[in-house]
Amino acid sequence: MYDGDIASVLVTEQQIRDKTAELAELVARDYARDVAGPGPGPGSDLLLVGVLKGAVMFMTDFARALPLPVQLEFMAVSSYGSATSSSGVVRILKDLDRDIAGRHVLIVEDIIDSGLTLSWLMKNLESRRPASLQVCTLLRKPDAVKVDVPVKYVGFDIPNEFVVGYGLDYAERYRDLPYIGTLDPSVYA
Ligand code: XMP
Ligand code: MG
């Protein structure tokens, strides 16, 4: 598939699977008391908020790896700026379907680069008064540390290279690759 387009595999399918299980175990342990407290029910389930479209693959695998009842919500946002760097000015293309007041919310992200999108999203969701708000990202790039966004769960710290696969795209392609890889320069040419 996509013969010749992928220069190198950065994270293999097996590594993604192992890390997803590891993160799921951590999250389940941290939330076990909150979501299984007195009077558990639909309103106390952990609420995963995935950011479309990149986080879809990770979100669905992560949700299935979590030994907790979870509910799934999705948001679509677009950040103003060039195609390759975000400005931090964000527009909501698709909002959550329900109120998150009083809910334990975990944002599920594919990748954090400048962190500007996430920083905006955190503030936006925080203003809706959830019981708690944390972030779980599969990938994190070096620049992310420059922005003061608390990211509790991180899968892999990767070098500052453009990556595709497992939800991540270049011009909407390569999302269906089961691994994370770097693109061959010939693709940009
Ligand atoms: P910021 O910079 O606000 O933006 O953290 C994060 C968003 O930028 C996209 N992004 C990438 N997409 N390969 C991609 O396919 C990459 O290497 C990459 N780096 C950043 C992505 O949409 C992410 O949510
Ligand atoms: Mg993208």
Side-chain angles (χ1 to χ4, degrees):
M1 217 159 63
Y2 302 121
D3 285 340
D5 288 5
I6 304 301
S8 67
V9 176
L10 216 55
V11 189
T12 67
E13 201 175 347
Q14 185 63 50
Q15 286 173 315
I16 294 173
R17 203 164 18 237
D18 291 347
K19 186 63 78 177
T20 301
E22 201 181 296
L23 289 171
E25 202 176 308
L26 271 178
V27 168
R29 202 193 315 138
D30 289 354
Y31 285 89
R33 198 177 312 132
D34 290 331
V35 300
S44 63
D45 291 345
L46 178 61
L47 195 65
L48 302 183
V49 172
V51 184
L52 295 172
K53 303 171 194 170
V56 162
M57 305 291 177
F58 180 47
M59 173 93 157
T60 57
D61 284 340
F62 181 66
R64 281 174 289 188
L66 264 175
L68 289 176
V70 295
Q71 293 172 24
L72 310 184
E73 285 289 326
F74 291 96
M75 268 181 96
V77 298
S78 88
S79 69
Y80 294 104
S82 68
T84 50
S85 73
S86 62
S87 60
V89 182
V90 177
R91 188 163 52 112
I92 296 179
L93 302 177
K94 185 223 170 291
D95 206 343
L96 303 175
D97 292 334
R98 37 187 49 79
D99 191 11
I100 59 167
R103 301 292 304 267
H104 292 285
V105 175
L106 183 61
I107 298 174
V108 179
E109 267 283 25
D110 49 350
I111 188 165
I112 302 172
D113 187 357
S114 73
L116 291 170
T117 308
L118 183 65
S119 170
W120 181 91
L121 190 61
M122 292 283 282
K123 282 195 198 93
N124 183 285
L125 295 186
E126 198 65 74
S127 74
R128 307 181 196 197
R129 303 278 167 237
S132 69
L133 182 64
Q134 297 291 349
V135 182
C136 178
T137 185
L138 180 64
L139 306 172
R140 181 171 66 181
K141 285 188 178 180
D143 282 348
V145 300
K146 293 186 204 159
V147 174
D148 190 25
V149 186
V151 180
K152 192 163 184 188
Y153 309 99
V154 179
F156 300 95
D157 278 301
I158 62 167
N160 208 1
E161 283 182 80
F162 191 80
V163 294
V164 296
Y166 198 63
L168 293 157
D169 72 302
Y170 175 68
E172 292 301 323
R173 299 188 83 204
Y174 311 105
R175 291 193 199 275
D176 50 335
L177 283 174
Y179 56 83
I180 312 273
T182 59
L183 271 186
D184 192 90
S186 65
V187 176
Y188 304 102

